[in-house]
Amino acid sequence: MSEDLGYTEKVMDYFLNPRNMGEIPDANGVGEVGNPRCGDIMKMYLKIENGVVVDAKFKTFGCAAAIATSSVATELIIGKKIEDALKITNKDVIEFLGGLPAPKIHCSLLAEQSIKSAIEDYYERLGVDYTPITRN
Ligand code: FES
């Protein structure tokens, strides 16, 4: 099946055995983003302590690429300082997965956006002005 769809083994592994799937009941940053083209939705829950992402979980209603990329995104940001988590891009996630078929690249944007959205929510709860950081 994976060869037909053009997914790498790693994508299929993360799709079939997603890491960090679920909710964090006492999350202090929650982000939700959607892809208007396909209607897929991704929700990201973060637990941030002392400026570090100590836990991350996700719930994705979407395609295999959206599920795999959100799972990888949680793995990439756990243990990272907020400023470093904000630097994670969809390219990092794609690279980790060994690539995505071209028509599925856009799905990986949800992962990047959901991290930023959850961190934005974290700052909002603190009443702190949030300015997204973009990588150069
Ligand atoms: Fe919607 Fe992949 S097709 S995120």
Side-chain angles (χ1 to χ4, degrees):
M1 179 171 88
S2 59
E3 286 111 53
D4 295 340
L5 297 170
Y7 287 131
T8 63
E9 273 181 32
K10 224 165 174 181
V11 173
M12 289 309 291
D13 178 32
Y14 273 83
F15 167 52
L16 296 171
N17 311 291
R19 284 68 150 174
N20 302 319
M21 190 166 65
E23 294 180 24
I24 300 176
D26 60 342
N28 52 2
V30 180
E32 184 172 319
V33 293
N35 183 331
R37 280 167 56 187
C38 61
D40 289 354
I41 293 170
M42 186 181 294
K43 205 161 179 182
M44 178 75 67
Y45 300 82
L46 300 182
K47 182 79 185 161
I48 298 173
E49 286 173 7
N50 300 320
V52 175
V53 179
V54 294
D55 199 9
K57 290 200 188 300
F58 77 94
K59 278 167 81 175
T60 295
F61 180 79
C63 69
I67 290 166
T69 53
S70 40
S71 177
V72 168
T74 59
E75 284 200 324
L76 291 180
I77 61 171
I78 291 175
K80 284 210 165 46
K81 288 188 205 161
I82 295 175
E83 53 267 37
D84 294 328
L86 283 168
K87 290 178 192 157
I88 301 284
T89 67
N90 71 316
K91 290 198 185 91
D92 298 318
V93 174
I94 293 170
E95 203 176 290
F96 182 94
L97 287 168
L100 276 177
K104 290 289 173 182
I105 299 281
H106 74 274
C107 311
S108 64
L109 283 168
L110 284 181
E112 180 184 329
Q113 291 163 352
S114 68
I115 294 171
K116 290 183 167 64
S117 168
I119 291 175
E120 188 174 350
D121 177 59
Y122 168 75
Y123 280 124
E124 266 176 29
R125 290 177 193 218
L126 290 177
V128 174
D129 259 354
Y130 166 76
T131 311
I133 302 166
T134 49
R135 187 197 254 183
N136 296 319

